[in-house]
Amino acid sequence: MMKKQVLTGIKPTGRIHLGNYIGAIKPALRLAENVSYNTAYFVADYHGLTKVHDQHEMKELSYGVTAAWLALGLNPDRAIFYRQSDVPEIFELSWILACFAPKGIMNRAHAYKSMVEDNQNSGREADAGVNMGLFTYPILMAADILLFQTELVPVGKDQIQHVEIARDLAENFNKQYGETFVLPEYIIQEETSVLPGLDGRKMSKSYNNTIPLFEEPKKLQKLINKIKTDSSTPEEPKDTESSVIFSLYKEFATSDQVEEMRGRFQGGIGWGEAKKELFGVMNSFIEEPRSKYKELMANPHLLDSILQMGAIKAREKTIPFMKEIKRKIGI
Ligand code: ADP
Ligand code: TRP
């Protein structure tokens, strides 16, 4: 049986937070363990460049994403694990795909569109602060996906449109030159597709409401204490469904612990106590990967060599496929 190709990337634009872990890394790690799949995971540093324009920050954040994957259990011997910028064929393909990308699709891509809307609402010029990297972001992402003949792309809900654009561009190319690219599909983790942040909105760097995954215990406790709660007394029963504390607790506790906590919510538990319990389960989950993460971050040479090995494996696929693509277009 042919193994299915799975691919996903994370851009180094901030410290990895719990939402990234639950929504993207955890499901991707599960797929990497499954023998029916070939997996390719990468650090999307050139996508990060649309936002991060500081040399030091780019380096630190890229190492941070790399160390996070490894600390959480990615085995680089099983998955192809690389840095996007180490695989030049991606950028060559990105240009080719740009020549098959109707500009109208880019106008409607959500990251660009929401920036334009923000600008308009604040009375600025529509394209203020928009660089062409941000505008053509979905084309580079399509190149990431299509160059590996990817069938499945595990992502959060916000990335669905980008995977659909990759399909569109693949179809446009295939129509002209015959079957070349596989049409990719996204996979969404339904029940954990949106992990709430400290303020109850989606946990996101953009909202400043994140819990960084490898936070030190004291800071972690402080962040948890910041989670907004209502003014009910400890004796009053509490709704589990609408509680950020309960939603987060569910992700890190065993099913027995979750059932017990559900009972305590119904029977009455003080918010302070609930927060302590949440800290307990989160911290014991994070402890081991946190120390592994720290070790890896102290050894950038090791991270570089793992990524370079990954790039060699990646290019065993991308170089020959790129040759075939160029032959098809007559270049
Ligand atoms: P952010 O929203 O913090 O900028 P990214 O856009 O870098 O996060 O997301 C990287 C990956 O993590 C994506 O696949 C995204 O869908 C997923 N992700 C981010 N935040 C969450 C969340 N709160 N819940 C579930 N998945 C998330
Ligand atoms: N755009 C994705 C994000 O912001 C990151 C990414 C870049 C990606 N290239 C990709 C995800 C290819 C999946 C496949 O989260």
Side-chain angles (χ1 to χ4, degrees):
M1 195 190 77
M2 281 284 279
K3 289 190 179 190
K4 286 201 169 196
Q5 180 65 49
V6 176
L7 171 144
T8 198
I10 294 188
K11 58 183 191 298
T13 48
R15 290 167 71 196
I16 294 287
H17 57 73
L18 290 171
N20 299 143
Y21 171 64
I22 297 295
I25 300 179
K26 190 176 169 189
L29 288 174
R30 225 178 289 134
L31 292 170
E33 291 304 315
N34 188 323
V35 291
S36 334
Y37 300 111
N38 283 325
T39 44
Y41 298 145
F42 66 98
V43 183
D45 52 352
Y46 270 141
H47 273 116
L49 189 63
T50 60
K51 274 207 192 133
V52 178
H53 289 175
D54 176 274
Q55 175 198 78
H56 183 71
E57 204 186 346
M58 176 63 86
K59 266 208 176 318
E60 275 306 296
L61 292 174
S62 297
Y63 283 135
V65 172
T66 311
W69 274 107
L70 296 169
L72 291 163
L74 180 70
N75 177 350
D77 294 327
R78 275 182 99 150
I80 302 185
F81 182 48
Y82 58 100
R83 185 162 33 205
Q84 185 187 34
S85 60
D86 287 337
V87 182
E89 293 74 32
I90 297 169
F91 309 98
E92 217 174 335
L93 180 60
S94 182
W95 177 261
I96 296 174
L97 293 175
C99 300
F100 291 83
K103 176 169 175 286
I105 292 190
M106 295 303 115
N107 290 338
R108 289 189 293 276
H110 68 78
Y112 169 66
K113 208 169 127 192
S114 78
M115 234 169 132
V116 169
E117 279 164 9
D118 275 0
N119 280 336
Q120 283 165 339
N121 293 337
S122 334
R124 289 186 291 262
E125 202 195 314
D127 281 336
V130 176
N131 61 56
M132 286 305 286
L134 180 83
F135 185 64
T136 58
Y137 186 109
I139 302 178
L140 180 55
M141 181 156 159
D144 289 327
I145 295 171
L146 300 181
L147 192 57
F148 284 79
Q149 300 287 34
T150 306
E151 283 158 273
L152 300 172
V153 188
V155 277
K157 274 199 176 127
D158 54 321
Q159 297 298 316
I160 291 179
Q161 188 195 27
H162 289 153
V163 180
E164 287 170 345
I165 292 175
R167 274 180 85 88
D168 286 348
L169 302 189
E171 276 178 327
N172 290 349
F173 187 98
N174 289 353
K175 240 183 255 157
Q176 182 64 26
Y177 298 105
E179 284 311 304
T180 308
F181 295 119
V182 169
L183 304 187
E185 283 171 28
Y186 52 81
I187 349 179
I188 303 288
Q189 219 52 24
E190 264 317 323
E191 73 279 21
T192 52
S193 57
V194 181
L195 190 81
L198 298 175
D199 56 1
R201 292 190 290 171
K202 168 189 182 267
M203 185 178 290
S204 171
K205 292 176 292 252
S206 331
Y207 298 147
N208 231 339
N209 64 354
T210 68
I211 301 182
L213 189 54
F214 301 111
E215 200 59 282
E216 292 298 330
K218 273 205 182 117
K219 278 206 175 150
L220 179 63
Q221 177 79 71
K222 264 198 188 150
L223 284 175
I224 290 174
N225 288 341
K226 275 198 198 159
I227 297 175
K228 283 202 190 113
T229 48
D230 60 26
S231 54
S232 59
T233 62
E235 295 72 33
E236 284 176 72
K238 293 170 176 60
D239 180 32
T240 48
E241 288 308 301
S242 59
S243 164
V244 175
I245 297 180
F246 193 79
S247 309
L248 292 171
Y249 188 82
K250 262 196 325 207
E251 296 297 336
F252 300 96
T254 62
S255 47
D256 284 352
Q257 285 174 314
V258 173
E259 281 327 300
E260 198 200 321
M261 186 53 84
R262 196 186 298 281
R264 291 175 74 185
F265 263 63
Q266 280 152 7
I269 179 173
W271 287 124
E273 185 62 22
K275 285 178 174 178
K276 244 191 230 148
E277 297 287 344
L278 174 60
F279 169 77
V281 289
M282 258 190 197
N283 194 50
S284 61
F285 163 79
I286 292 170
E287 237 163 9
E288 205 185 305
R290 182 171 51 214
S291 67
K292 186 108 196 276
Y293 175 83
K294 275 201 270 186
E295 255 171 54
L296 289 164
M297 285 303 274
N299 195 348
H301 291 305
L302 175 65
L303 297 176
D304 280 328
S305 74
I306 290 173
L307 291 171
Q308 273 154 22
M309 290 281 291
I312 291 171
K313 282 201 270 175
R315 297 190 75 198
E316 282 168 13
K317 289 179 170 244
T318 61
I319 293 173
F321 189 35
M322 198 60 220
K323 268 203 187 120
E324 186 190 333
I325 296 165
K326 285 169 82 170
R327 185 185 57 75
K328 287 200 175 178
I329 57 179
I331 280 177

